[in-house]
Amino acid sequence: MKRNVLSAVLACATVASMTAGLSVNVFASSDVSLTVSWWGNQTRNERTQTVLDMYSEETGISLDGQFSEWADYWNKLATSSAGHSLPDVVQMDYAYLEQYVSNGLLVDLTPYVEDGTLDVSGIDEGLLDSGTVDGGLYAIPLGENAPALAYNKTLLDEYGIEVNDYMTMDEFISLCQEIYETTGYKTDIYYGNGDSFLEYFIRSEGAVLYEDEGLGATEEMLVSFFEIYEQGIAEGWMCEPAIYAERTIGTPEQMPLVYGSSPSTMSWCAFTYSNSLASLISAAGEDVEIAITTWPADDAEAANYLKPAMFFSVTVDSENPDEAAAFINYWTNSVEANEVLLAERGIPASAVVSDAIADQLDEVNQGIIEYINEVVSPCSSAINPPSPEGSSEVLNLVNELVEKVCYGECTAEEAGAELYTSGNEMLAE
């Protein structure tokens, strides 16, 4: 029934788009207002608001920017969707795209591409396809991104410790042990965001985390994943869960790599994505050099992937979907806007825009381009399909079980068995 409601909404949008003569100038009106929401850090917030102000000044359209931290963002969207009061334009993540589409919450943007409102000619076809579900285009990628292990190079150089690309899991654990024994600094393995690393870990095993109606991972694979945390806590090199109690998990500025009072409360590394590097460097300060390498995997090519950094989508609750689509077009194709954004959300999806601002990017973003093009791209495989309905419940369970393992409330074997049984039940509902 939800899909039927969405189809009706899309049909109306299609008719409207065919008769409206879509362009930025046509929509310029002080009577039109749009709400744009995103998750992010202070750097992203400031740059995004500047671009919103630029667009508002150019078009006369009032733009209300709303931002939150990662966890709060999705909670707010869930509440808004229940009350049919979603923002006009929402920043969307690949992991949530399928769920929002299947619940009839996003507008198919295909008609806006067909009538020229949305110019996607500069976006790689494979990257653009990442925003499609069941043949409809529900999200426009804002940039290109890749998993990245950020680490304190200044610290490790001081002790003569080297970090290599494409580490196996055993090599990574040996490195964690060496760093802890030598420096006292511990390891943060994506605590509180476990499904991202779990998916990567499962890809390395030649499987996918989610299949059509259940988990693609075996129970043994899941147990092996939790054993990493179990071993790290037992041997002392894993960050203890208590340090996360008063931090907003997922916020770069509060990651143990850059935040903490002593080696016992800090980490030498952070599991993150390439577009977070600028925020981590800013938070670390001038005296600390942050470098990046690949996440550990026994099969680097199978595990590694390129992904859309994030998307913009138009929601079915928008009273001005035409104007919302036009705004996304501006964001995607305006060189002036991207001269402000400067690849903070990842290397711009449009190759035309990316080329136009390349000379203006700082050393950090030039390094990210080099990392993506020279390290990840040559040794990677296609990204998994968007996570299915029910995966958010699985994500919560993964994080709960990681916490229990780290607190010693259950064993890795028990956690793996629980995730396998309950996870399959959640996905089957």
Side-chain angles (χ1 to χ4, degrees):
M1 180 60 69
K2 291 177 180 176
R3 289 186 179 274
N4 290 337
V5 171
L6 179 58
S7 296
V9 173
L10 295 181
C12 293
T14 302
V15 171
S17 67
M18 293 174 62
T19 60
L22 306 176
S23 72
V24 170
N25 292 331
V26 169
F27 296 142
S29 169
S30 59
D31 296 331
V32 176
S33 63
L34 297 174
T35 303
V36 182
S37 67
W38 68 92
W39 71 85
N41 49 65
Q42 190 58 33
T43 300
R44 178 175 300 165
N45 297 340
E46 292 173 355
R47 295 182 187 181
T48 300
Q49 189 59 55
T50 298
V51 172
L52 297 187
D53 292 342
M54 289 168 58
Y55 188 75
S56 182
E57 182 177 352
E58 179 177 331
T59 65
I61 293 175
S62 174
L63 292 174
D64 177 18
Q66 300 179 353
F67 62 89
S68 307
E69 302 290 353
W70 168 264
D72 289 341
Y73 179 81
W74 296 106
N75 289 333
K76 289 180 179 178
L77 279 196
T79 301
S80 296
S81 65
H84 301 289
S85 57
L86 283 165
D88 298 273
V89 178
V90 294
Q91 189 169 283
M92 180 55 53
D93 187 78
Y94 192 69
Y96 289 87
L97 180 58
E98 166 70 29
Q99 300 171 51
Y100 275 74
V101 172
S102 64
N103 281 293
L105 299 173
L106 304 181
V107 171
D108 185 354
L109 300 173
T110 303
Y112 296 111
V113 173
E114 294 175 345
D115 67 22
T117 301
L118 269 171
D119 178 6
V120 296
S121 60
I123 303 177
D124 175 80
E125 185 176 347
L127 185 62
L128 185 64
D129 284 347
S130 65
T132 64
V133 178
D134 295 334
L137 179 63
Y138 293 93
I140 301 299
L142 305 183
E144 197 169 36
N145 204 6
L149 181 70
Y151 64 94
N152 187 331
K153 191 175 187 300
T154 301
L155 171 70
L156 301 191
D157 283 353
E158 180 181 348
Y159 291 91
I161 300 174
E162 294 186 1
V163 176
N164 299 314
D165 296 330
Y166 315 125
M167 283 184 288
T168 66
M169 186 56 63
D170 285 343
E171 290 170 342
F172 174 72
I173 290 176
S174 294
L175 180 63
C176 295
Q177 294 167 336
E178 178 187 3
I179 292 172
Y180 176 62
E181 292 168 1
T182 305
T183 73
Y185 279 76
K186 299 192 175 188
T187 302
D188 170 26
I189 303 185
Y190 231 154
Y191 189 91
N193 285 288
D195 75 320
S196 294
F197 183 51
L198 174 57
E199 180 179 52
Y200 193 89
F201 181 86
I202 297 304
R203 283 170 60 90
S204 178
E205 298 292 319
V208 295
L209 181 56
Y210 301 113
E211 290 186 336
D212 290 341
E213 295 183 358
L215 295 173
T218 66
E219 184 174 329
E220 291 75 17
M221 292 177 186
L222 300 178
V223 170
S224 295
F225 168 77
F226 288 111
E227 283 177 343
I228 300 170
Y229 294 87
E230 188 173 60
Q231 178 181 354
I233 291 294
E235 296 178 352
W237 50 263
M238 182 83 70
C239 288
E240 297 179 0
I243 72 169
Y244 303 97
E246 297 182 358
R247 305 186 190 196
T248 303
I249 293 175
T251 301
E253 292 83 356
Q254 295 187 30
M255 289 180 177
L257 172 64
V258 297
Y259 182 87
S261 58
S262 66
S264 64
T265 62
M266 298 187 71
S267 170
W268 65 274
C269 70
F271 281 70
T272 185
Y273 286 86
S274 56
N275 67 309
S276 295
L277 183 60
S279 297
L280 286 170
I281 289 175
S282 176
E286 296 180 356
D287 296 333
V288 177
E289 180 182 357
I290 303 295
I292 54 176
T293 185
T294 49
W295 290 359
D298 291 339
D299 187 335
E301 183 172 355
N304 270 325
Y305 58 88
L306 294 174
K307 66 167 288 186
M310 55 203 71
F311 305 92
F312 267 153
S313 297
V314 177
T315 74
V316 297
D317 292 334
S318 174
E319 295 182 358
N320 300 289
D322 298 348
E323 290 87 342
F327 166 74
I328 296 176
N329 182 69
Y330 171 80
W331 185 285
T332 302
N333 295 299
S334 169
V335 173
E336 291 77 10
N338 282 277
E339 286 174 338
V340 173
L341 299 168
L342 289 177
E344 192 280 326
R345 283 176 169 83
I347 306 306
S350 168
V352 175
V353 172
S354 179
D355 290 343
I357 69 168
D359 292 342
Q360 301 177 49
L361 296 179
D362 58 20
E363 185 177 350
V364 173
N365 282 295
Q366 292 289 355
I368 292 172
I369 293 175
E370 181 179 345
Y371 171 71
I372 288 177
N373 292 340
E374 299 183 15
V375 177
V376 179
S377 294
C379 188
S380 62
S381 51
I383 191 172
N384 290 349
S387 301
E389 185 78 17
S391 60
S392 58
E393 288 81 4
V394 175
L395 163 61
N396 291 335
L397 179 58
V398 171
N399 292 332
E400 290 172 6
L401 291 172
V402 166
E403 182 172 314
K404 286 185 177 180
V405 169
C406 289
Y407 273 114
E409 296 175 0
C410 72
T411 65
E413 186 172 354
E414 292 168 340
E418 170 66 16
L419 179 56
Y420 184 77
T421 300
S422 298
N424 278 304
E425 291 174 353
M426 292 171 178
L427 294 170
E429 292 179 356

